[in-house]
Amino acid sequence: MRLLLAQPRGFCAGVSRAIEAAQETLKRYGRPVYLPHQVVHNEVVISSLESQGIVSVKDVSQVPDGAVCVFSAHGSPPEDYDLAKRKKLKVIDATCPLVTKVHNEAKRYNKEGYQVVLIGHQGHQEVRGTQAQAPMMLVSEHDTIPKIDRPVAVVTQTTLSKYDVAESVSRIREQF
């Protein structure tokens, strides 16, 4: 039997960009730089950033007033930006452009009268940020799709497998 080892794919461009933003922020502003929400789901990378002066916190409320922080590639809800403004934080927004596009599409479809359906994982930072953009229904890849009585627009968490998303989209199309 022949075994082929695939090369690691590495991080997506948005996460690579956010890691670079965190490192550049450290160079520009010095220690500490706060990171509400992990920039990537990789403990080795997080530990490396923390050893350089990044302080990981669970949420914006834990960042000291007036501090410097980097918002992760996963995006954040508007209330995080509002709180950062009230706390007079210097925010470096490293939201992935693809995540921003999902946010904008969700808002647009909602304004046009569609029922926005978000395929994603409850509690994930990207889902939290996307759900805060407009009213929408969250469906995980294997959930039963509820009946919807108006036109539907589907957006997805960008970090999902295209195969899992395709399965959900197929089930939604069967209904509509």
Side-chain angles (χ1 to χ4, degrees):
M1 174 166 68
R2 186 171 173 209
L3 176 67
L4 298 176
L5 181 61
Q7 292 294 328
R9 291 188 301 178
F11 302 122
C12 69
V15 167
S16 293
R17 180 177 165 265
I19 292 168
E20 288 173 18
Q23 292 169 326
E24 286 300 315
T25 301
L26 275 169
K27 287 178 189 171
R28 175 177 265 192
Y29 296 100
R31 295 173 176 220
V33 169
Y34 291 84
L35 185 62
H37 325 296
Q38 288 187 340
V39 69
V40 62
H41 305 299
N42 182 310
E43 291 305 319
V44 173
V45 172
I46 296 301
S47 293
S48 172
L49 289 171
E50 288 173 344
S51 73
Q52 296 171 51
I54 293 286
V55 177
S56 296
V57 295
K58 290 187 185 220
D59 117 356
V60 178
S61 66
Q62 297 175 317
V63 178
D65 291 359
V68 177
C69 70
V70 177
F71 280 10
S72 81
H74 300 107
S76 297
E79 59 263 19
D80 282 0
Y81 293 91
D82 294 342
L83 180 56
K85 187 174 184 178
R86 289 194 305 275
K87 292 172 71 68
K88 297 181 177 16
L89 302 179
K90 172 71 176 171
V91 174
I92 308 304
D93 188 353
T95 302
C96 172
L98 296 175
V99 172
T100 299
K101 182 177 180 178
V102 171
H103 290 181
N104 291 337
E105 292 295 303
K107 289 187 269 193
R108 179 176 67 88
Y109 284 126
N110 182 64
K111 283 182 186 173
E112 292 176 3
Y114 287 87
Q115 169 61 59
V116 178
V117 175
L118 170 61
I119 301 170
H121 296 148
Q122 180 68 42
H124 189 279
Q125 177 61 23
E126 182 180 339
V127 167
R128 185 175 163 262
T130 301
Q131 284 184 295
Q133 303 304 315
M136 64 186 67
M137 177 185 302
L138 177 64
V139 174
S140 74
E141 305 98 305
H142 306 292
D143 284 348
T144 301
I145 309 298
K147 290 286 184 201
I148 301 170
D149 61 356
R150 59 184 172 141
V152 172
V154 177
V155 296
T156 70
Q157 177 181 330
T158 64
T159 56
L160 296 180
S161 153
K162 69 180 185 179
Y163 302 108
D164 288 338
V165 169
E167 178 184 322
S168 293
V169 168
S170 175
R171 287 186 291 115
I172 292 167
R173 280 191 172 139
E174 286 173 13
Q175 225 185 91
F176 301 98

